[in-house]
Amino acid sequence: NAGVMQNPRHLVRRRGQEARLRCSPMKGHSHVYWYRQLPEEGLKFMVYLQKENIIDESGMPKERFSAEFPKEGPSILRIQQVVRGDSAAYFCASSPQSGQSNGQPQHFGDGTRLSIL
Amino acid sequence: ELKVEQNPLFLSMQEGKNYTIYCNYSTTSDRLYWYRQDPGKSLESLFVLLSNGAVKQEGRLMASLDTKARLSTLHITAAVHDLSATYFCAGSRANDMRFGAGTRLTVKP
């Protein structure tokens, strides 16, 4: 499968624990986007990364949340000291370059459903 | 900040009927996208609209873009049950992509 790969598909954590969500972009894609989707709602932009750089993190809470996209390996969205309100589906999308500049849509992974007990 | 609004948020229609979903956006958007999401699934790209007056069709779905009115529409012709899903529009400016809240479409026999 050459699509965007996210893991795990489902993640359960207790309040105060850490959650790590992984995203491997499509082959040849160097731009990664993370979104959060609350039940019955649309997608909220969180962060946009290129390899080793955070380009735009304006949608990401300043505390407890961080994201990286290292030179090697998947992009990681990390949530520290999780709270109940972090329960959501987290989607990763990738594009070959700044997708908006060449009209290419972002390709989405299947998401990680995070549940906080 | 780019804001995207869709309406209606919920749409129940009978098979064979036609209907239109509307997507308004607040400021200039470089592109307008339509996605489909089935329950518990990821988003599937349907259309990318690049310029004023753009119209794209795929099967029973047709999308159009009016940049002057800052409006895109997704028209459903002769709906069938398989079209039941949530449809999202999204606008973009440079690296910033914003989604509407989605329209949950249910097609009944």
Side-chain angles (χ1 to χ4, degrees):
Chain A
N1 186 343
V4 178
M5 302 298 292
Q6 287 188 251
N7 69 84
R9 290 292 306 277
H10 301 273
L11 181 61
V12 180
R13 285 286 178 268
R14 295 189 181 280
R15 282 179 293 171
Q17 291 184 321
E18 178 181 287
R20 283 192 178 218
L21 288 62
R22 296 174 184 77
C23 170
S24 296
M26 282 183 70
K27 188 175 181 180
H29 287 194
S30 57
H31 296 236
V32 166
Y33 309 79
W34 285 94
Y35 297 86
R36 176 164 63 179
Q37 185 178 34
L38 295 171
E40 313 297 325
E41 293 189 11
L43 276 74
K44 300 280 193 236
F45 167 79
M46 297 183 73
V47 61
Y48 161 43
L49 310 103
Q50 295 177 23
K51 284 284 187 182
E52 300 184 279
N53 286 307
I54 296 175
I55 306 302
D56 181 355
E57 56 182 348
S58 59
M60 197 158 66
K62 296 208 171 6
E63 297 182 354
R64 302 189 298 107
F65 285 73
S66 62
E68 62 177 10
F69 189 15
K71 186 176 180 181
E72 301 291 336
S75 175
I76 306 287
L77 179 66
R78 183 181 176 202
I79 312 172
Q80 295 178 293
Q81 299 177 317
V82 295
V83 300
R84 287 244 170 90
D86 296 333
S87 295
Y90 292 83
F91 287 95
C92 168
S94 72
S95 66
Q97 56 185 10
S98 181
Q100 285 70 255
S101 66
N102 64 5
Q104 292 300 311
Q106 296 176 3
H107 295 266
F108 282 80
D110 287 339
T112 294
R113 272 97 186 144
L114 175 64
S115 298
I116 309 302
L117 302 180
Chain B
E1 180 185 342
L2 175 62
K3 293 184 179 179
V4 180
E5 290 188 357
Q6 284 180 243
N7 72 84
L9 298 182
F10 297 92
L11 177 56
S12 180
M13 55 191 299
Q14 285 190 310
E15 282 189 329
K17 299 291 187 183
N18 304 334
Y19 209 83
T20 300
I21 300 171
Y22 298 88
C23 175
N24 292 89
Y25 52 97
S26 60
T27 63
T28 303
S29 176
D30 299 332
R31 307 282 185 264
L32 199 293
Y33 303 82
W34 284 96
Y35 286 87
R36 168 182 171 146
Q37 185 181 37
D38 291 293
K41 301 292 186 181
S42 185
L43 278 77
E44 173 192 356
S45 176
L46 296 175
F47 301 108
V48 181
L49 301 168
L50 304 180
S51 59
N52 187 43
V55 176
K56 291 193 174 180
Q57 183 163 5
E58 181 73 34
R60 300 174 189 273
L61 301 178
M62 183 174 71
S64 66
L65 178 63
D66 181 343
T67 57
K68 293 180 181 177
R70 294 178 185 162
L71 170 68
S72 179
T73 61
L74 181 66
H75 187 72
I76 303 154
T77 302
V80 293
H81 179 69
D82 286 351
L83 290 180
S84 296
T86 299
Y87 293 85
F88 291 96
C89 67
S92 68
R93 295 180 68 188
N95 300 323
D96 191 10
M97 191 163 178
R98 302 287 170 169
F99 283 79
T103 297
R104 182 178 292 181
L105 171 65
T106 303
V107 180
K108 298 180 178 179

